[in-house]
Short mmCIF file of all heavy atoms in Angstrom, two decimals:
data_model
loop_
_atom_site.label_atom_id
_atom_site.label_comp_id
_atom_site.label_asym_id
_atom_site.label_seq_id
_atom_site.Cartn_x
_atom_site.Cartn_y
_atom_site.Cartn_z
N MET A 1 106.93 102.97 122.13
CA MET A 1 107.91 102.17 121.40
C MET A 1 107.21 101.36 120.30
O MET A 1 106.27 100.65 120.59
CB MET A 1 108.62 101.22 122.35
CG MET A 1 109.94 100.73 121.77
SD MET A 1 110.61 99.35 122.70
CE MET A 1 111.30 100.19 124.12
N LEU A 2 107.67 101.52 119.13
CA LEU A 2 107.03 100.81 118.03
C LEU A 2 107.79 99.53 117.72
O LEU A 2 109.01 99.53 117.56
CB LEU A 2 107.00 101.69 116.77
CG LEU A 2 106.02 102.85 116.80
CD1 LEU A 2 106.18 103.69 115.53
CD2 LEU A 2 104.59 102.36 116.91
N SER A 3 107.05 98.46 117.64
CA SER A 3 107.67 97.21 117.20
C SER A 3 106.82 96.61 116.11
O SER A 3 105.63 96.40 116.28
CB SER A 3 107.80 96.23 118.36
OG SER A 3 106.52 95.89 118.84
N GLY A 4 107.43 96.38 114.95
CA GLY A 4 106.67 95.84 113.83
C GLY A 4 106.19 96.97 112.94
O GLY A 4 106.04 98.11 113.38
N PRO A 5 105.99 96.63 111.71
CA PRO A 5 105.59 97.63 110.71
C PRO A 5 104.12 98.04 110.86
O PRO A 5 103.30 97.25 111.30
CB PRO A 5 105.79 96.89 109.38
CG PRO A 5 105.64 95.44 109.73
CD PRO A 5 106.11 95.30 111.15
N SER A 6 103.85 99.28 110.56
CA SER A 6 102.46 99.74 110.56
C SER A 6 101.75 99.19 109.33
O SER A 6 102.39 98.92 108.32
CB SER A 6 102.43 101.27 110.51
OG SER A 6 103.24 101.80 111.53
N ALA A 7 100.46 99.04 109.47
CA ALA A 7 99.70 98.52 108.34
C ALA A 7 99.76 99.49 107.17
O ALA A 7 99.64 100.69 107.34
CB ALA A 7 98.26 98.30 108.75
N GLY A 8 99.97 98.96 105.99
CA GLY A 8 99.96 99.79 104.80
C GLY A 8 101.31 100.38 104.47
O GLY A 8 101.49 100.96 103.41
N GLU A 9 102.27 100.23 105.37
CA GLU A 9 103.60 100.74 105.07
C GLU A 9 104.46 99.65 104.47
O GLU A 9 104.39 98.51 104.91
CB GLU A 9 104.26 101.26 106.35
CG GLU A 9 104.11 102.74 106.52
CD GLU A 9 104.89 103.22 107.73
OE1 GLU A 9 106.00 102.76 107.94
OE2 GLU A 9 104.34 104.07 108.45
N PRO A 10 105.28 100.01 103.50
CA PRO A 10 106.15 99.01 102.89
C PRO A 10 107.11 98.42 103.92
O PRO A 10 107.65 99.13 104.75
CB PRO A 10 106.93 99.80 101.84
CG PRO A 10 106.12 101.01 101.57
CD PRO A 10 105.39 101.30 102.84
N VAL A 11 107.25 97.11 103.87
CA VAL A 11 108.19 96.43 104.75
C VAL A 11 109.50 96.25 104.00
O VAL A 11 109.53 95.63 102.95
CB VAL A 11 107.65 95.04 105.15
CG1 VAL A 11 108.62 94.36 106.11
CG2 VAL A 11 106.27 95.17 105.78
N PRO A 12 110.55 96.86 104.50
CA PRO A 12 111.82 96.78 103.77
C PRO A 12 112.33 95.35 103.66
O PRO A 12 112.27 94.59 104.63
CB PRO A 12 112.78 97.63 104.61
CG PRO A 12 112.07 98.04 105.83
CD PRO A 12 110.65 97.59 105.76
N LEU A 13 112.81 95.03 102.49
CA LEU A 13 113.40 93.72 102.26
C LEU A 13 114.80 93.91 101.70
O LEU A 13 115.03 94.82 100.91
CB LEU A 13 112.59 92.93 101.22
CG LEU A 13 111.34 92.15 101.67
CD1 LEU A 13 110.77 91.40 100.48
CD2 LEU A 13 111.67 91.17 102.78
N SER A 14 115.72 93.06 102.10
CA SER A 14 117.04 93.14 101.51
C SER A 14 116.97 92.64 100.07
O SER A 14 116.07 91.89 99.71
CB SER A 14 118.03 92.28 102.31
OG SER A 14 117.69 90.91 102.16
N GLU A 15 117.92 93.08 99.27
CA GLU A 15 117.94 92.66 97.87
C GLU A 15 118.02 91.14 97.76
O GLU A 15 117.45 90.53 96.87
CB GLU A 15 119.12 93.30 97.15
CG GLU A 15 118.98 94.80 97.00
CD GLU A 15 117.69 95.18 96.27
OE1 GLU A 15 117.40 94.57 95.23
OE2 GLU A 15 116.97 96.08 96.76
N LYS A 16 118.73 90.55 98.71
CA LYS A 16 118.89 89.10 98.71
C LYS A 16 117.54 88.42 98.90
O LYS A 16 117.22 87.44 98.21
CB LYS A 16 119.85 88.72 99.84
CG LYS A 16 120.40 87.31 99.75
CD LYS A 16 121.44 87.11 100.85
CE LYS A 16 121.71 85.63 101.04
NZ LYS A 16 122.63 85.41 102.17
N MET A 17 116.74 88.95 99.83
CA MET A 17 115.45 88.35 100.09
C MET A 17 114.48 88.61 98.94
O MET A 17 113.67 87.75 98.59
CB MET A 17 114.87 88.89 101.40
CG MET A 17 115.59 88.40 102.63
SD MET A 17 115.89 86.61 102.65
CE MET A 17 114.22 86.00 102.85
N VAL A 18 114.57 89.80 98.36
CA VAL A 18 113.73 90.09 97.20
C VAL A 18 114.01 89.10 96.09
O VAL A 18 113.10 88.54 95.47
CB VAL A 18 113.96 91.54 96.70
CG1 VAL A 18 113.31 91.75 95.34
CG2 VAL A 18 113.41 92.54 97.71
N ALA A 19 115.28 88.83 95.85
CA ALA A 19 115.67 87.87 94.81
C ALA A 19 115.16 86.48 95.16
O ALA A 19 114.69 85.74 94.29
CB ALA A 19 117.18 87.86 94.64
N HIS A 20 115.22 86.14 96.44
CA HIS A 20 114.77 84.82 96.87
C HIS A 20 113.26 84.68 96.66
O HIS A 20 112.78 83.66 96.15
CB HIS A 20 115.11 84.62 98.34
CG HIS A 20 114.53 83.37 98.92
ND1 HIS A 20 115.00 82.12 98.59
CD2 HIS A 20 113.50 83.17 99.79
CE1 HIS A 20 114.28 81.21 99.24
NE2 HIS A 20 113.37 81.82 99.98
N TYR A 21 112.51 85.71 97.04
CA TYR A 21 111.05 85.65 96.88
C TYR A 21 110.68 85.62 95.40
O TYR A 21 109.73 84.96 95.00
CB TYR A 21 110.39 86.84 97.57
CG TYR A 21 110.47 86.76 99.06
CD1 TYR A 21 110.83 87.88 99.82
CD2 TYR A 21 110.18 85.58 99.73
CE1 TYR A 21 110.92 87.82 101.19
CE2 TYR A 21 110.26 85.51 101.10
CZ TYR A 21 110.63 86.63 101.84
OH TYR A 21 110.71 86.57 103.19
N ARG A 22 111.44 86.36 94.60
CA ARG A 22 111.18 86.35 93.16
C ARG A 22 111.39 84.95 92.59
O ARG A 22 110.58 84.46 91.80
CB ARG A 22 112.15 87.31 92.45
CG ARG A 22 111.62 88.71 92.34
CD ARG A 22 112.52 89.45 91.39
NE ARG A 22 112.70 90.81 91.85
CZ ARG A 22 113.74 91.57 91.53
NH1 ARG A 22 114.71 91.07 90.80
NH2 ARG A 22 113.79 92.80 91.91
N ASP A 23 112.48 84.33 92.99
CA ASP A 23 112.76 82.97 92.52
C ASP A 23 111.64 82.02 92.94
O ASP A 23 111.21 81.16 92.18
CB ASP A 23 114.09 82.47 93.09
CG ASP A 23 115.28 83.10 92.38
OD1 ASP A 23 115.07 83.72 91.32
OD2 ASP A 23 116.40 82.97 92.88
N THR A 24 111.17 82.20 94.17
CA THR A 24 110.10 81.35 94.66
C THR A 24 108.83 81.55 93.84
O THR A 24 108.17 80.59 93.45
CB THR A 24 109.81 81.66 96.13
OG1 THR A 24 110.99 81.43 96.90
CG2 THR A 24 108.69 80.76 96.67
N MET A 25 108.52 82.80 93.57
CA MET A 25 107.33 83.09 92.77
C MET A 25 107.43 82.48 91.38
O MET A 25 106.45 81.91 90.86
CB MET A 25 107.12 84.60 92.65
CG MET A 25 106.35 85.19 93.81
SD MET A 25 105.81 86.88 93.44
CE MET A 25 104.46 86.53 92.32
N LEU A 26 108.61 82.59 90.78
CA LEU A 26 108.78 82.04 89.44
C LEU A 26 108.73 80.52 89.47
O LEU A 26 108.14 79.89 88.58
CB LEU A 26 110.11 82.52 88.85
CG LEU A 26 110.16 84.02 88.53
CD1 LEU A 26 111.57 84.41 88.08
CD2 LEU A 26 109.15 84.39 87.46
N ALA A 27 109.32 79.93 90.48
CA ALA A 27 109.37 78.46 90.57
C ALA A 27 107.98 77.89 90.83
O ALA A 27 107.67 76.78 90.41
CB ALA A 27 110.33 78.04 91.67
N HIS A 28 107.15 78.66 91.52
CA HIS A 28 105.82 78.16 91.90
C HIS A 28 104.69 78.83 91.10
O HIS A 28 103.53 78.72 91.48
CB HIS A 28 105.59 78.36 93.40
CG HIS A 28 106.44 77.44 94.24
ND1 HIS A 28 106.01 76.21 94.66
CD2 HIS A 28 107.70 77.59 94.70
CE1 HIS A 28 106.98 75.63 95.38
NE2 HIS A 28 108.02 76.46 95.41
N ALA A 29 105.07 79.50 90.03
CA ALA A 29 104.04 80.10 89.19
C ALA A 29 103.23 79.00 88.51
O ALA A 29 103.73 77.90 88.27
CB ALA A 29 104.69 80.99 88.13
N ASP A 30 101.98 79.32 88.24
CA ASP A 30 101.12 78.33 87.58
C ASP A 30 101.67 77.97 86.21
O ASP A 30 101.97 78.84 85.40
CB ASP A 30 99.70 78.89 87.42
CG ASP A 30 98.95 78.89 88.73
OD1 ASP A 30 99.56 78.53 89.75
OD2 ASP A 30 97.77 79.25 88.73
N ASP A 31 101.79 76.71 85.96
CA ASP A 31 102.23 76.23 84.66
C ASP A 31 101.04 76.25 83.71
O ASP A 31 99.97 75.71 84.04
CB ASP A 31 102.77 74.80 84.80
CG ASP A 31 103.39 74.32 83.49
OD1 ASP A 31 102.66 74.20 82.49
OD2 ASP A 31 104.61 74.05 83.49
N PRO A 32 101.19 76.88 82.53
CA PRO A 32 100.05 76.97 81.59
C PRO A 32 99.52 75.60 81.19
O PRO A 32 98.32 75.44 80.97
CB PRO A 32 100.64 77.70 80.39
CG PRO A 32 101.91 78.31 80.85
CD PRO A 32 102.39 77.54 82.03
N LYS A 33 100.39 74.62 81.10
CA LYS A 33 99.97 73.29 80.68
C LYS A 33 99.23 72.56 81.81
O LYS A 33 98.23 71.89 81.58
CB LYS A 33 101.19 72.47 80.24
CG LYS A 33 101.67 72.85 78.85
CD LYS A 33 102.87 72.02 78.43
CE LYS A 33 104.11 72.40 79.24
NZ LYS A 33 105.32 71.73 78.75
N LEU A 34 99.76 72.71 83.01
CA LEU A 34 99.14 72.03 84.15
C LEU A 34 97.97 72.82 84.71
O LEU A 34 97.05 72.27 85.29
CB LEU A 34 100.17 71.83 85.27
CG LEU A 34 101.32 70.88 84.96
CD1 LEU A 34 102.36 70.94 86.07
CD2 LEU A 34 100.80 69.46 84.83
N GLY A 35 98.06 74.15 84.55
CA GLY A 35 97.06 75.00 85.18
C GLY A 35 97.27 75.05 86.69
O GLY A 35 96.37 75.36 87.45
N ALA A 36 98.50 74.76 87.10
CA ALA A 36 98.81 74.75 88.52
C ALA A 36 100.32 74.80 88.69
O ALA A 36 101.07 74.68 87.73
CB ALA A 36 98.25 73.50 89.19
N CYS A 37 100.76 74.98 89.93
CA CYS A 37 102.18 74.97 90.23
C CYS A 37 102.77 73.60 89.90
O CYS A 37 102.24 72.58 90.35
CB CYS A 37 102.39 75.29 91.71
SG CYS A 37 104.06 74.90 92.29
N PRO A 38 103.84 73.54 89.10
CA PRO A 38 104.40 72.25 88.71
C PRO A 38 105.05 71.51 89.88
O PRO A 38 105.28 70.31 89.80
CB PRO A 38 105.44 72.62 87.64
CG PRO A 38 105.74 74.06 87.86
CD PRO A 38 104.52 74.67 88.47
N ARG A 39 105.35 72.21 90.95
CA ARG A 39 106.00 71.57 92.09
C ARG A 39 104.97 71.05 93.09
O ARG A 39 105.11 69.96 93.64
CB ARG A 39 106.92 72.56 92.80
CG ARG A 39 108.08 72.98 91.94
CD ARG A 39 109.13 73.69 92.76
NE ARG A 39 110.23 74.13 91.91
CZ ARG A 39 111.40 74.54 92.38
NH1 ARG A 39 111.61 74.58 93.67
NH2 ARG A 39 112.34 74.92 91.56
N CYS A 40 103.96 71.86 93.34
CA CYS A 40 102.96 71.49 94.35
C CYS A 40 101.70 70.90 93.71
O CYS A 40 100.85 70.36 94.40
CB CYS A 40 102.57 72.71 95.18
SG CYS A 40 103.98 73.61 95.87
N LEU A 41 101.60 71.05 92.38
CA LEU A 41 100.45 70.54 91.64
C LEU A 41 99.14 71.13 92.13
O LEU A 41 98.12 70.45 92.21
CB LEU A 41 100.41 69.00 91.69
CG LEU A 41 101.63 68.32 91.05
CD1 LEU A 41 101.51 66.82 91.14
CD2 LEU A 41 101.81 68.77 89.61
N ARG A 42 99.18 72.39 92.50
CA ARG A 42 97.96 73.09 92.85
C ARG A 42 98.11 74.55 92.44
O ARG A 42 99.21 75.08 92.41
CB ARG A 42 97.63 72.98 94.34
CG ARG A 42 98.78 73.36 95.23
CD ARG A 42 98.47 73.06 96.66
NE ARG A 42 97.45 73.97 97.18
CZ ARG A 42 97.13 74.05 98.46
NH1 ARG A 42 97.70 73.28 99.35
NH2 ARG A 42 96.21 74.90 98.86
N THR A 43 97.00 75.17 92.10
CA THR A 43 97.07 76.55 91.64
C THR A 43 97.23 77.50 92.81
O THR A 43 96.66 77.28 93.88
CB THR A 43 95.81 76.88 90.82
OG1 THR A 43 95.95 78.21 90.31
CG2 THR A 43 94.55 76.82 91.65
N ARG A 44 98.05 78.55 92.58
CA ARG A 44 98.31 79.55 93.62
C ARG A 44 98.66 78.86 94.94
O ARG A 44 98.00 79.04 95.96
CB ARG A 44 97.10 80.46 93.81
CG ARG A 44 96.81 81.34 92.60
CD ARG A 44 97.88 82.41 92.44
NE ARG A 44 97.57 83.31 91.34
CZ ARG A 44 98.15 83.22 90.13
NH1 ARG A 44 99.02 82.28 89.88
NH2 ARG A 44 97.85 84.08 89.20
N CYS A 45 99.71 78.07 94.88
CA CYS A 45 100.09 77.26 96.03
C CYS A 45 100.58 78.16 97.18
O CYS A 45 100.91 79.32 96.97
CB CYS A 45 101.17 76.27 95.62
SG CYS A 45 102.72 77.07 95.17
N PRO A 46 100.64 77.61 98.37
CA PRO A 46 101.05 78.41 99.54
C PRO A 46 102.42 79.04 99.38
O PRO A 46 102.64 80.17 99.84
CB PRO A 46 101.04 77.39 100.69
CG PRO A 46 100.09 76.32 100.25
CD PRO A 46 100.20 76.26 98.76
N ASP A 47 103.35 78.35 98.75
CA ASP A 47 104.68 78.91 98.55
C ASP A 47 104.62 80.15 97.67
O ASP A 47 105.31 81.13 97.91
CB ASP A 47 105.61 77.87 97.90
CG ASP A 47 106.12 76.88 98.92
OD1 ASP A 47 105.97 77.15 100.13
OD2 ASP A 47 106.63 75.84 98.52
N TRP A 48 103.78 80.07 96.64
CA TRP A 48 103.62 81.23 95.75
C TRP A 48 103.03 82.41 96.52
O TRP A 48 103.51 83.54 96.43
CB TRP A 48 102.72 80.84 94.57
CG TRP A 48 102.61 81.92 93.54
CD1 TRP A 48 103.40 82.08 92.44
CD2 TRP A 48 101.66 83.00 93.52
NE1 TRP A 48 102.99 83.19 91.74
CE2 TRP A 48 101.94 83.78 92.37
CE3 TRP A 48 100.61 83.38 94.35
CZ2 TRP A 48 101.19 84.91 92.04
CZ3 TRP A 48 99.87 84.52 94.03
CH2 TRP A 48 100.16 85.26 92.87
N TRP A 49 101.99 82.14 97.28
CA TRP A 49 101.34 83.20 98.06
C TRP A 49 102.30 83.81 99.07
O TRP A 49 102.32 85.02 99.30
CB TRP A 49 100.11 82.66 98.78
CG TRP A 49 98.87 82.77 97.96
CD1 TRP A 49 98.12 81.73 97.48
CD2 TRP A 49 98.22 83.96 97.50
NE1 TRP A 49 97.07 82.22 96.76
CE2 TRP A 49 97.10 83.58 96.76
CE3 TRP A 49 98.51 85.32 97.66
CZ2 TRP A 49 96.25 84.51 96.16
CZ3 TRP A 49 97.66 86.25 97.06
CH2 TRP A 49 96.55 85.84 96.33
N TRP A 50 103.09 82.97 99.69
CA TRP A 50 104.04 83.42 100.70
C TRP A 50 105.00 84.44 100.09
O TRP A 50 105.20 85.52 100.63
CB TRP A 50 104.79 82.20 101.24
CG TRP A 50 105.87 82.51 102.20
CD1 TRP A 50 105.71 82.90 103.51
CD2 TRP A 50 107.27 82.45 101.97
NE1 TRP A 50 106.93 83.08 104.09
CE2 TRP A 50 107.91 82.81 103.16
CE3 TRP A 50 108.06 82.14 100.86
CZ2 TRP A 50 109.30 82.85 103.29
CZ3 TRP A 50 109.43 82.18 100.99
CH2 TRP A 50 110.03 82.54 102.19
N ALA A 51 105.57 84.10 98.94
CA ALA A 51 106.50 85.00 98.27
C ALA A 51 105.77 86.24 97.76
O ALA A 51 106.27 87.36 97.87
CB ALA A 51 107.18 84.27 97.12
N TYR A 52 104.58 86.02 97.23
CA TYR A 52 103.79 87.13 96.68
C TYR A 52 103.48 88.16 97.77
O TYR A 52 103.65 89.37 97.58
CB TYR A 52 102.49 86.58 96.08
CG TYR A 52 101.55 87.65 95.57
CD1 TYR A 52 101.66 88.10 94.26
CD2 TYR A 52 100.57 88.19 96.40
CE1 TYR A 52 100.80 89.08 93.79
CE2 TYR A 52 99.71 89.16 95.94
CZ TYR A 52 99.82 89.61 94.64
OH TYR A 52 98.97 90.57 94.17
N GLU A 53 103.05 87.68 98.91
CA GLU A 53 102.67 88.60 99.97
C GLU A 53 103.87 89.36 100.52
O GLU A 53 103.76 90.54 100.87
CB GLU A 53 101.96 87.83 101.09
CG GLU A 53 100.57 87.39 100.66
CD GLU A 53 99.85 86.68 101.80
OE1 GLU A 53 100.48 86.39 102.83
OE2 GLU A 53 98.65 86.41 101.64
N ARG A 54 105.02 88.71 100.61
CA ARG A 54 106.22 89.40 101.09
C ARG A 54 106.63 90.50 100.11
O ARG A 54 106.97 91.61 100.52
CB ARG A 54 107.38 88.42 101.26
CG ARG A 54 107.19 87.42 102.37
CD ARG A 54 106.88 88.08 103.69
NE ARG A 54 106.71 87.14 104.77
CZ ARG A 54 105.62 86.42 104.96
NH1 ARG A 54 104.61 86.51 104.12
NH2 ARG A 54 105.53 85.60 105.97
N LEU A 55 106.59 90.19 98.82
CA LEU A 55 106.97 91.18 97.81
C LEU A 55 105.95 92.31 97.77
O LEU A 55 106.30 93.48 97.63
CB LEU A 55 107.09 90.52 96.43
CG LEU A 55 108.36 89.69 96.22
CD1 LEU A 55 108.31 89.00 94.87
CD2 LEU A 55 109.60 90.54 96.32
N ALA A 56 104.68 91.96 97.91
CA ALA A 56 103.64 92.99 97.88
C ALA A 56 103.78 93.91 99.09
O ALA A 56 103.66 95.13 98.99
CB ALA A 56 102.27 92.33 97.86
N ALA A 57 104.07 93.33 100.25
CA ALA A 57 104.22 94.12 101.48
C ALA A 57 105.41 95.06 101.38
O ALA A 57 105.43 96.14 101.97
CB ALA A 57 104.37 93.18 102.67
N ALA A 58 106.42 94.63 100.63
CA ALA A 58 107.62 95.44 100.47
C ALA A 58 107.50 96.41 99.30
O ALA A 58 108.38 97.21 99.06
CB ALA A 58 108.83 94.53 100.28
N GLY A 59 106.39 96.29 98.57
CA GLY A 59 106.20 97.16 97.41
C GLY A 59 107.15 96.83 96.28
O GLY A 59 107.54 97.69 95.50
N ARG A 60 107.56 95.56 96.19
CA ARG A 60 108.55 95.17 95.20
C ARG A 60 107.97 94.28 94.09
O ARG A 60 108.73 93.70 93.33
CB ARG A 60 109.71 94.42 95.88
CG ARG A 60 110.42 95.24 96.92
CD ARG A 60 111.04 96.48 96.31
NE ARG A 60 112.06 96.14 95.33
CZ ARG A 60 113.36 96.02 95.62
NH1 ARG A 60 113.79 96.24 96.83
NH2 ARG A 60 114.23 95.69 94.70
N LEU A 61 106.67 94.17 94.04
CA LEU A 61 106.08 93.31 93.01
C LEU A 61 106.38 93.82 91.61
O LEU A 61 106.52 93.05 90.67
CB LEU A 61 104.56 93.24 93.20
CG LEU A 61 104.07 92.14 94.14
CD1 LEU A 61 102.56 92.18 94.23
CD2 LEU A 61 104.53 90.78 93.68
N THR A 62 106.50 95.14 91.48
CA THR A 62 106.75 95.71 90.15
C THR A 62 108.15 95.38 89.65
O THR A 62 108.45 95.60 88.49
CB THR A 62 106.57 97.23 90.18
OG1 THR A 62 107.38 97.76 91.23
CG2 THR A 62 105.12 97.60 90.42
N ASP A 63 108.99 94.87 90.54
CA ASP A 63 110.35 94.53 90.13
C ASP A 63 110.43 93.18 89.45
O ASP A 63 111.47 92.80 88.95
CB ASP A 63 111.28 94.50 91.35
CG ASP A 63 111.54 95.90 91.87
OD1 ASP A 63 111.07 96.85 91.22
OD2 ASP A 63 112.20 96.05 92.90
N LEU A 64 109.32 92.48 89.43
CA LEU A 64 109.34 91.17 88.79
C LEU A 64 109.73 91.28 87.33
O LEU A 64 109.24 92.15 86.61
CB LEU A 64 107.96 90.52 88.88
CG LEU A 64 107.65 89.81 90.19
CD1 LEU A 64 106.19 89.38 90.20
CD2 LEU A 64 108.54 88.60 90.37
N PRO A 65 110.61 90.40 86.89
CA PRO A 65 111.03 90.44 85.50
C PRO A 65 109.87 90.09 84.58
O PRO A 65 109.14 89.15 84.83
CB PRO A 65 112.13 89.39 85.44
CG PRO A 65 111.89 88.47 86.59
CD PRO A 65 111.23 89.32 87.65
N GLY A 66 109.72 90.86 83.55
CA GLY A 66 108.66 90.59 82.59
C GLY A 66 109.21 90.62 81.19
O GLY A 66 110.35 91.02 80.97
N PRO A 67 108.41 90.16 80.23
CA PRO A 67 108.84 90.17 78.85
C PRO A 67 108.92 91.59 78.30
O PRO A 67 108.11 92.44 78.66
CB PRO A 67 107.75 89.37 78.13
CG PRO A 67 106.54 89.50 79.00
CD PRO A 67 107.06 89.63 80.41
N ALA A 68 109.90 91.83 77.46
CA ALA A 68 110.01 93.10 76.77
C ALA A 68 110.15 94.27 77.74
O ALA A 68 109.63 95.34 77.53
CB ALA A 68 108.82 93.33 75.85
N SER A 69 110.86 94.04 78.87
CA SER A 69 111.09 95.15 79.78
C SER A 69 112.19 96.03 79.22
O SER A 69 113.21 95.54 78.74
CB SER A 69 111.46 94.63 81.16
OG SER A 69 112.67 93.91 81.09
N SER A 70 111.98 97.31 79.28
CA SER A 70 112.97 98.22 78.74
C SER A 70 113.89 98.70 79.84
O SER A 70 113.51 98.79 80.99
CB SER A 70 112.28 99.41 78.08
OG SER A 70 111.48 100.08 79.04
N GLY A 71 115.12 98.99 79.49
CA GLY A 71 116.04 99.54 80.46
C GLY A 71 117.02 98.51 81.02
O GLY A 71 118.04 98.87 81.56
N GLY A 72 116.70 97.23 80.90
CA GLY A 72 117.62 96.23 81.40
C GLY A 72 118.81 96.09 80.49
O GLY A 72 118.64 95.80 79.31
N GLY A 73 119.99 96.27 81.03
CA GLY A 73 121.17 96.26 80.16
C GLY A 73 121.93 94.95 80.20
O GLY A 73 122.96 94.81 79.58
N VAL A 74 121.42 93.98 80.94
CA VAL A 74 122.16 92.72 81.09
C VAL A 74 122.17 91.94 79.77
O VAL A 74 121.12 91.61 79.23
CB VAL A 74 121.53 91.87 82.20
CG1 VAL A 74 122.30 90.56 82.34
CG2 VAL A 74 121.51 92.63 83.51
N GLY A 75 123.34 91.68 79.28
CA GLY A 75 123.45 90.88 78.08
C GLY A 75 123.14 91.63 76.81
O GLY A 75 123.08 91.05 75.74
N ALA A 76 122.93 92.94 76.91
CA ALA A 76 122.63 93.71 75.72
C ALA A 76 123.87 93.84 74.85
O ALA A 76 124.95 94.11 75.37
CB ALA A 76 122.12 95.09 76.11
N PRO A 77 123.71 93.63 73.58
CA PRO A 77 124.87 93.77 72.68
C PRO A 77 125.32 95.22 72.59
O PRO A 77 124.49 96.12 72.57
CB PRO A 77 124.33 93.28 71.34
CG PRO A 77 122.85 93.44 71.43
CD PRO A 77 122.50 93.28 72.88
N GLU A 78 126.59 95.41 72.58
CA GLU A 78 127.11 96.78 72.51
C GLU A 78 128.11 96.90 71.38
O GLU A 78 129.08 96.15 71.39
CB GLU A 78 127.79 97.14 73.83
CG GLU A 78 128.28 98.58 73.90
CD GLU A 78 127.16 99.59 73.76
OE1 GLU A 78 126.11 99.42 74.39
OE2 GLU A 78 127.34 100.54 72.98
ZN1 ZN B 101 104.15 75.45 94.51
#
């Protein structure tokens, strides 16, 4: 009987949780001016790592919104 994910296998995350972890990563990203998380005032704070590791384990890090991403149709003029 298997309980828990095998090492190296993606851990499925619901879209809701992916969005939550993404928000956490963005909220706790290092501020260029501070050189650290603006909320925790430290670089790569635990909250950031927590979200990062969950997204990495789920293989969803590539879903992070970035500048000049192509294919996103939200708000595109038609
Ligand atoms: Zn933080």
Side-chain angles (χ1 to χ4, degrees):
M1 199 192 282
L2 288 176
S3 63
S6 308
E9 263 185 41
V11 182
L13 276 183
S14 67
E15 292 304 312
K16 195 174 164 185
M17 290 312 291
V18 168
H20 172 72
Y21 290 135
R22 270 191 218 156
D23 284 348
T24 301
M25 274 193 76
L26 291 175
H28 289 269
D30 285 4
D31 186 296
K33 283 180 289 187
L34 293 172
C37 165
R39 295 194 182 193
C40 309
L41 298 180
R42 52 187 290 189
T43 184
R44 294 290 184 259
C45 67
D47 281 346
W48 186 91
W49 270 116
W50 175 74
Y52 175 89
E53 288 183 351
R54 292 306 181 282
L55 284 175
R60 300 299 297 267
L61 272 180
T62 52
D63 288 355
L64 277 172
S69 63
S70 59
V74 180
E78 184 61 45

